[in-house]
Amino acid sequence: RKEVEQDPGPFNVPEGATVAFNCTYSNSASQSFFWYRQDCRKEPKLLMSVYSSGNEDGRFTAQLNRASQYISLLIRDSKLSDSATYLCVVNGRGGADGLTFGKGTHLIIQP
Amino acid sequence: SQTIHQWPATLVQPVGSPLSLECTVEGTSNPNLYWYRQAAGRGLQLLFYSVGIGQISSEVPQNLSASRPQDRQFILSSKKLLLSDSGFYLCAWSEGSWLFGPGTRLTVL
């Protein structure tokens, strides 16, 4: 089983719609969870951390279900500028060990 | 504020040639530094990490090596490149939060 799994998409969504991505992770001892955004040929940039209680940042809402080892990202009122690849990221081992990335979900917002 | 520099930005190299990619960090001291690779159609894969000068941990057996000659410098090298070494190489810094450099896009022909 892969450590972090995501639907690669692409998700083609009309502007203004709501879109949700899911991600599952295999390491039940994982400690930190993130969503990163990566634009074409650019480095990943942190979109938001994901907390057990769920958290919201403007149009973006992230949820974590530790029992099911499942993370979600909801984007409301999608904009053309939201088109990107969204990476689910887990810091499973703590300490100096690195992040584990999903392959990403490609989102295309259509006018 | 912290910044990460990587160079070169792009590189085209023949199979069998050597490689040296450099990463430098500003605005922090004694950072944990990481090399990731993103190959076509694949997720980011951790290659090496370093918690200090001269300290390198390798995540996967491979054709590459890393060195940390100075606190804020992290170098990725190869003596002989393979076609499979092509990819997008990202240096990252961690000190609680994470920051990625702009990356080096390597094409091995």
Side-chain angles (χ1 to χ4, degrees):
Chain A
R1 182 180 175 185
K2 297 176 184 174
E3 293 191 65
V4 179
E5 291 199 64
Q6 296 180 250
D7 182 344
F11 283 47
N12 290 282
V13 175
E15 190 176 8
T18 296
V19 60
F21 306 138
N22 302 319
C23 161
T24 57
Y25 60 95
S26 60
N27 183 357
S28 59
S30 297
Q31 301 176 8
S32 307
F33 309 89
F34 311 91
W35 283 103
Y36 275 72
R37 172 192 168 128
Q38 186 174 23
D39 293 295
C40 187
R41 305 179 77 82
K42 298 287 188 181
E43 73 274 23
K45 294 186 178 177
L46 179 65
L47 178 64
M48 58 196 304
S49 301
V50 186
Y51 304 116
S52 297
S53 56
N55 49 298
E56 187 174 310
D57 183 1
R59 298 182 292 109
F60 299 84
T61 301
Q63 296 276 354
L64 168 64
N65 184 323
R66 285 187 182 270
S68 301
Q69 295 179 204
Y70 169 101
I71 305 163
S72 66
L73 176 68
L74 182 78
I75 306 175
R76 291 182 300 278
D77 187 24
S78 54
K79 313 290 185 189
L80 294 176
S81 57
D82 293 333
S83 297
T85 297
Y86 290 83
L87 305 174
C88 178
V89 184
V90 174
N91 188 341
R93 296 172 286 181
D97 291 2
L99 301 172
T100 301
F101 288 79
K103 292 184 180 181
T105 297
H106 189 200
L107 173 66
I108 302 170
I109 305 299
Q110 297 172 327
Chain B
S1 64
Q2 296 82 19
T3 56
I4 300 182
H5 302 278
Q6 285 188 245
W7 60 89
T10 60
L11 192 60
V12 180
Q13 292 284 96
V15 169
S17 63
L19 174 74
S20 181
L21 303 182
E22 188 163 346
C23 167
T24 57
V25 182
E26 293 180 0
T28 184
S29 60
N30 197 30
N32 293 334
L33 295 175
Y34 303 80
W35 278 111
Y36 282 88
R37 176 173 61 203
Q38 188 175 37
R42 302 184 64 181
L44 276 85
Q45 180 186 32
L46 178 63
L47 302 176
F48 300 96
Y49 69 91
S50 171
V51 300
I53 296 173
Q55 300 179 65
I56 307 295
S57 296
S58 174
E59 283 295 301
V60 293
Q62 58 197 302
N63 184 42
L64 302 169
S65 62
S67 62
R68 187 160 174 186
Q70 299 180 43
D71 181 44
R72 285 173 278 184
Q73 185 183 32
F74 202 21
I75 296 172
L76 184 70
S77 304
S78 174
K79 292 182 179 178
K80 289 186 178 181
L81 284 168
L82 306 172
L83 287 174
S84 58
D85 292 325
S86 293
F88 189 38
Y89 288 82
L90 290 158
C91 180
W93 160 87
S94 169
E95 198 171 85
S97 59
W98 285 75
L99 180 68
F100 285 87
T104 294
R105 193 161 299 278
L106 171 66
T107 303
V108 182
L109 301 175

